[in-house]
Each structure stands twice: as structure tokens, then as C-alpha cells.
């Protein structure tokens, strides 16, 4: 039955029996292009392969994925494109256990990256939310309801992003971004553990930080430490580096974007050309 | 792009843009009938309403859901039917934040309950797995990848079910079942917290326990306590009460189903008539 219409199971589009919808049994990537040039394709393919292995989805050739990305990107003809793709374990009658003969489903969508010049220039507000996510956030899986609920909470508070806080009171990352504090000459972010997505933009942000002379510290921050930082920034594939000028309803430093946010963004942009 | 075929976004079945697949942004129920009679319909509707509220999905009338269940059950004509249904927040271009105007998607599937007389009679083996689930397991959501991976691990060890163990070493529940230990005259299971699904079969199992004279203890068990119990059982909508005769690769007591498992099942079955 779909909405209020009874349909024999055999006639239903297999999309409705996708293990992706029944269980979130799949993994995904989001990548982008800058002015017609794909950015960090190899890094995204590498991470995608890691996610597939971690959830034991087999039968996906990475060369095939690469070819599909290039073909779809080409066909779309969008200069600043956001490319989303996922693989699920396949479509089958609902059962937690799976059959190894299942054929994985592949879905890819190309769209225009939303322009976020205003956010990058003026900064955003961020609030915190308990980190309700599962214990394997190192896998980029389709289980994202905790992120969705955290963002909804943030939007309800007039904030653009939710910063997730674990049970020990430590910041893990944003609901859809990596999170950094600049304190003195240091650029600090949480270390990569099972609770953190190995964000590709995080790596490039750390590289940008090193290039502009900041010391990198990979240690978790408390909410209080973050609130007292000189600057806060988030970073993600589709947003680059965005200054957080209000955090937990208070201004960060003087409440305007800091100099390092701008320097980091400039350096980061140089990688994308 | 679906598999290797490029399709304009406007021509893609909205099922591919379901927030259920992008984020697991939906909630579900599984209920069943015994010999043509639906069991615990009101309890399932009540819990479904609670799940919808918890994730702030609105626009679903519970009377409409009830009518759809009855209509689909009737049309299927299956005496021992498993009825699965889910509601997702709707189909839209992928964005963690949602638009309140979204229309939720409804999906329902009726199938035959697999006969598990052999399991109920002979018992099953269960292994343990770290509880990787998110921190709101009281919501019956579509984010079930942790459960899927735990069951796969169990099957790889020749076991039918994975019993989930939290970071403190305490058993929460099964990957697809409630979990109970019988020690002396007590029937023990974890208390209902944010980490436990408020299982309807759990409630009926506790009621059955009371009826046959067992004392109910709602306290979490360590793995060691469970391994040393007189009897272990799991309970779920589609399996009723199943004795666990091997746990962590060792026999439970003498390795055969105990008398209370049988008494509990008999009492439980009396509720379903």
C-alpha cells in the first residue's frame, strides 16, 4: 500500500523495497565542482570505498562509480555543481539479515551549489544539541535522523547549524560540518575517532591552517572553551569555511568574522583552482 | 542518475527523493494477526503516534492509518499476517532542514508471518555485539543500520540474534527483540529508557510473567549475569517468545529450553486469541 492505494507487491517500484529506506542500509558522498572543475574526486572515492567496506556492501566497482560521476557531471553542465550519490545494499522484502546475492542500488543527483557568499562574509549563528548519533559516525551512512533533528532544533533557535555535544560535554562536530576553534595561534578541532566523520573539507582546512602559520591541535573542545575562543568556523563540502559569529546565543569575540576565517577561506580557495 | 542511467530529476519517481532514504527520516511499526485477528492494534497505533511526535512529523491522522491497516489486512486475506508500515517526512530535494509544507509518505506491506515453531520449541543461539545505535532508541525510527550490522555479525557466528551491550557493559536489548533473563523466580529485563524501544511484546511478556507468578525486575543485566541465568528468552512481534539456549557460544543452564519459556509462551498465546 502506497499512500492510500493498494498495489500488489510485485507491481511496486523496487525503490519502495530499498534497504536504504527500511534501515538506512547504505552509504553516501557529497562532492562539488568549482567553475567546472571537480574538487577532491579521489579523496571522495577513497572515503566512499571505506564506507562501503565498513558496512560490508560489495559488488561496487570504484572505477564504475568514477565513470558515473564524470558522465553525470558532464551531462548536467553545471559549473558549480553539488554531486550527491549513494549506494544501498539493494531492494528486497524487509529483513534485517541480508542475502549476499542482492544487487546494490546506486543513485546520483547533480544540482547547483547554493551561493553562500553572505554566510561566508557575515558569518552565521550556531547552537548546540546533544549528539544523538550512532557510535560509528566514521562511516558516512544514510542513518542521519539525529543530524536532521539537531538542525531542526537549531533552525528553531534562529541558527544555521547545530554543533553536537557528546555525553562528556565535548564537542564532536556540526550536524553537517566540521567544527574548529581558533585560540591564539592554534586551530583546534576534535581528533578523528569513531564518533567523527573523516571530513575531506576538515583535512583541507587543517592544511590551509598550516599554510597560514597556525598550529594544529586535534583535541576535543568543551562548549565553554569554544564559547571563549577568538574565532569559530565550520567547514563542509558545499559551504567551504564559514565563520560562526554567534554561538549559544552569545557573540563570539566581538561578534564579527575574524581575520583567520578570511585567511583560511582564501587559502582553501587556492586549493580548488 | 539511477544505476547507470541518466534521468532528468523531474522524471524520477519521488520515491528516490524520499527523506526516508536520504536520512532515515521516518518512523515505522510492525504488527501481526493471529488466525485472522489483528493483535494489539491500539498499542501499535499509540506507539506510532508517539514516534511521529518525537520526530515532529505532522499531518498524519491516526484514524486514517487505522483505516489503511484494516483495509490492507482485509485485502491481503492472510490469516497470520505481518503488517509493516512506515511514514517518512516526504519527498524533496536533499536538505537536512525540512519544509513544513512537505507531505509525508506512507508505505504499508502485508506478508505472511514466517513460522518459527522450530525456534520456539528448540531455542536459538545468540551472541553479543556493541550497541552502536543512536541515543533515541525509544523512537521506532528508520535508522537501523546498527541493528543490521549487529545481526550480520550474529549470523556470521551461527547465531539467530545479536544481543546489544552498551559501553558500560550492560545489555540493552536484542537487535530486533526484547531480552529477558529468568533467575530464580524473577523475570528480569532492562528498564525503559531512551536507549530501549518500548516494545509491545515486552509489555505482554511482563504481563505473562506476572500471571504465571514471576517477580518482575526492570534492571539492566551484565553479560555475565545473563550468561549465568536459569533461562534467557527474546520476544518480538513476529516471533513471540523464543528461548535462547546458547549465549556467547556457551549453553544457557543445561542448553535446552526451560520451563518458564514454555509457560510464558503459553500465557502469551492466550492474549492473542
Amino acid at each position: 500500500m502506497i499512500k492510500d492505494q493498494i498495489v500488489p507487491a510485485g507491481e511496486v517500484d523496487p525503490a519502495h523495497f530499498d534497504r536504504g529506506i527500511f534501515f538506512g542500509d547504505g552509504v553516501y558522498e557529497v562532492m562539488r565542482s568549482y567553475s567546472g572543475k571537480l574538487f577532491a574526486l579521489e579523496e571522495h572515492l577513497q572515503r566512499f570505498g571505506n564506507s562501503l567496506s565498513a558496512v560490508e556492501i560489495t559488488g561496487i566497482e570504484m572505477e564504475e562509480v568514477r565513470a558515473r560521476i564524470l558522465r553525470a557531471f558532464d551531462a548536467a553542465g553545471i559549473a558549480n555543481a553539488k554531486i550527491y550519490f549513494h549506494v544501498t545494499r539493494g531492494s528486497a522484502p524487509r529483513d534485517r539479515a541480508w542475502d549476499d546475492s542482492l544487487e546494490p542500488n546506486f543513485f546520483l543527483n547533480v544540482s547547483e551549489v547554493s551561493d553562500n557568499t553572505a554566510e561566508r562574509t557575515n558569518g552565521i549563528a550556531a547552537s548546540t544539541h546533544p549528539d544523538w548519533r550512532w557510535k560509528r559516525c566514521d562511516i558516512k551512512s544514510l542513518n542521519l535522523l539525529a543530524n536532521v533533528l539537531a538542525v531542526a532544533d537549531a533552525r528553531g533557535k534562529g541558527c544555521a547549524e547545530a554543533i553536537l555535544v557528546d555525553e562528556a560535554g565535548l564537542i564532536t562536530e556540526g550536524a553537517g560540518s566540521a567544527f574548529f576553534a581558533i585560540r591564539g595561534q592554534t586551530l583546534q578541532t576534535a581528533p578523528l575517532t569513531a564518533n567523527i566523520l573523516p571530513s575531506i573539507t576538515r583535512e583541507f582546512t587543517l592544511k590551509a591552517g598550516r599554510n597560514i602559520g597556525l598550529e594544529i591541535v586535534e583535541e576535543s573542545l568543551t562548549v565553554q572553551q569554544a564559547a571563549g575562543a577568538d574565532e569559530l568556523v565550520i567547514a563542509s563540502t558545499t559551504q567551504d569555511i564559514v565563520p560562526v559569529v554567534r554561538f549559544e546565543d552569545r557573540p563570539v569575540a566581538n561578534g564579527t568574522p575574524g581575520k583567520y576565517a578570511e585567511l583560511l577561506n582564501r587559502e582553501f580557495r587556492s586549493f580548488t583552482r
Side-chain angles (χ1 to χ4, degrees), chain A:
Chain A
M1 184 181 248
I2 296 166
K3 303 219 181 217
D4 59 0
Q5 206 181 348
I6 293 176
V7 192
E11 293 171 22
V12 174
D13 187 317
H16 292 281
F17 284 92
D18 195 320
R19 291 177 59 94
I21 195 160
F22 288 145
F23 308 116
D25 190 5
V27 295
Y28 76 105
E29 280 293 325
V30 180
M31 50 178 297
R32 67 161 291 177
S33 68
Y34 291 89
S35 308
K37 204 179 131 197
L38 286 177
F39 180 59
L41 173 60
E42 297 316 314
E43 287 86 343
H44 284 278
L45 285 175
Q46 174 79 50
R47 182 173 64 183
F48 193 56
N50 292 346
S51 294
L52 287 167
S53 299
V55 300
E56 297 171 53
I57 292 179
T58 53
I60 295 291
E61 292 299 325
M62 220 41 73
E63 282 317 304
E64 182 69 20
V65 174
R66 185 201 311 270
R68 287 175 181 179
I69 293 167
L70 295 174
R71 197 151 59 87
F73 174 54
D74 223 47
I78 299 172
N80 292 299
K82 172 163 84 168
I83 301 172
Y84 168 88
F85 55 97
H86 69 225
V87 163
T88 68
R89 203 178 304 276
S91 295
R94 184 178 183 278
D95 182 1
R96 282 179 178 73
W98 71 77
D99 189 319
D100 281 331
S101 67
L102 267 190
E103 193 195 339
N105 288 327
F106 180 84
F107 172 85
L108 181 149
N109 186 243
V110 188
S111 58
E112 179 114 29
V113 177
S114 316
D115 178 73
N116 77 334
T117 309
E119 287 82 356
R120 274 190 287 114
T121 309
N122 308 324
I124 58 159
S127 51
T128 63
H129 192 275
D131 191 344
W132 284 345
R133 300 174 306 163
W134 73 324
K135 297 198 172 63
R136 292 301 308 275
C137 297
D138 55 323
I139 303 171
K140 202 164 169 75
S141 89
L142 300 176
N143 276 219
L144 294 169
L145 183 51
N147 311 57
V148 163
L149 295 178
V151 167
D153 176 76
R155 297 293 165 98
K157 294 169 176 165
C159 293
E161 177 63 310
I163 306 304
L164 306 177
V165 180
D166 71 16
E167 284 168 328
L170 297 172
I171 291 171
T172 52
E173 57 192 325
S177 60
F179 180 79
F180 303 83
I182 293 135
R183 307 202 289 166
Q185 298 293 311
T186 67
L187 178 63
Q188 185 170 348
T189 192
L192 293 182
T193 60
N195 276 339
I196 304 281
L197 176 78
S199 155
I200 289 158
T201 316
R202 173 187 184 278
E203 291 312 305
F204 283 107
T205 303
L206 293 179
K207 186 178 169 191
R210 264 179 226 109
N211 288 3
I212 64 170
L214 290 172
E215 186 199 338
I216 309 303
V217 176
E218 294 185 69
E219 271 173 40
S220 302
L221 291 145
T222 64
V223 173
Q224 204 183 350
Q225 284 167 341
D230 300 329
E231 294 183 41
L232 298 176
V233 298
I234 60 167
S236 76
T237 289
T238 54
Q239 302 175 92
D240 299 351
I241 298 166
V242 177
V244 175
V245 294
R246 285 190 74 82
F247 180 68
E248 286 286 75
D249 216 19
R250 288 196 191 153
V252 178
N254 70 0
T256 58
K259 68 171 177 180
Y260 284 116
E262 161 127 30
L263 288 170
L264 285 168
N265 244 317
R266 204 179 297 170
E267 186 67 19
F268 180 86
R269 280 292 178 129
S270 77
F271 304 148
T272 67
R273 277 194 286 272

